[in-house]
Amino acid sequence: MTSSEVIVRELADIRRALPKLTEEIAAAEERLAKATRHLEEAKARAFLDSQGAVKVREMQTVMATSLVAAARDDAAAVLRYLKMRRSDLETLQSSLQTTAKLLEVHHAAS
């Protein structure tokens, strides 16, 4: 397999992966939004259900919502990963396109 064929194959793989990744990012953004809303609701409920001074109620709220906060943090981490993966693929795509053009110029000059 020639280097040009490898580049063409890689570019095709990236072009197939990017739309799927964009859909995954949209779904991850929705999950993060839901997790954020759920956390805010849980914090409000926990604060209202707790008793004592404001500082005590705030600490009880943090303790009562730690698992919900962790779920929100996990959703945010997944979204960051997917966006980083998309960025990496776009960078690779650009690099491969540049390499392909250089190969064309080199072959044309030969």
Side-chain angles (χ1 to χ4, degrees):
M1 184 176 282
T2 68
S3 56
S4 295
E5 291 170 334
V6 170
I7 290 171
V8 168
R9 175 186 269 171
E10 287 294 318
L11 284 170
D13 290 347
I14 291 169
R15 286 186 187 114
R16 281 191 297 274
L18 284 174
K20 183 177 183 238
L21 198 51
T22 299
E23 289 174 12
E24 290 175 16
I25 287 170
E29 286 172 336
E30 186 176 324
R31 284 190 300 273
L32 176 57
K34 285 180 183 178
T36 299
R37 282 192 307 273
H38 186 72
L39 176 58
E40 293 306 314
E41 290 170 9
K43 282 181 178 180
R45 269 188 260 107
F47 188 81
L48 290 173
D49 292 344
S50 62
Q51 301 201 359
V54 172
K55 286 289 182 191
V56 171
R57 294 174 79 178
E58 288 173 350
M59 293 179 81
Q60 289 173 345
T61 298
V62 169
M63 290 172 42
T65 60
S66 64
L67 291 177
V68 179
R72 190 267 330 259
D73 293 346
D74 290 347
V78 168
L79 180 58
R80 280 192 307 274
Y81 167 78
L82 291 171
K83 286 183 174 182
M84 186 182 338
R85 179 72 179 131
R86 178 179 59 189
S87 176
D88 290 347
L89 284 176
E90 289 169 343
T91 300
L92 179 58
Q93 180 181 32
S94 178
S95 176
L96 287 170
Q97 289 169 336
T98 300
T99 302
K101 288 189 188 311
L102 290 172
L103 285 172
E104 288 175 17
V105 168
H106 176 73
H107 289 308
S110 300

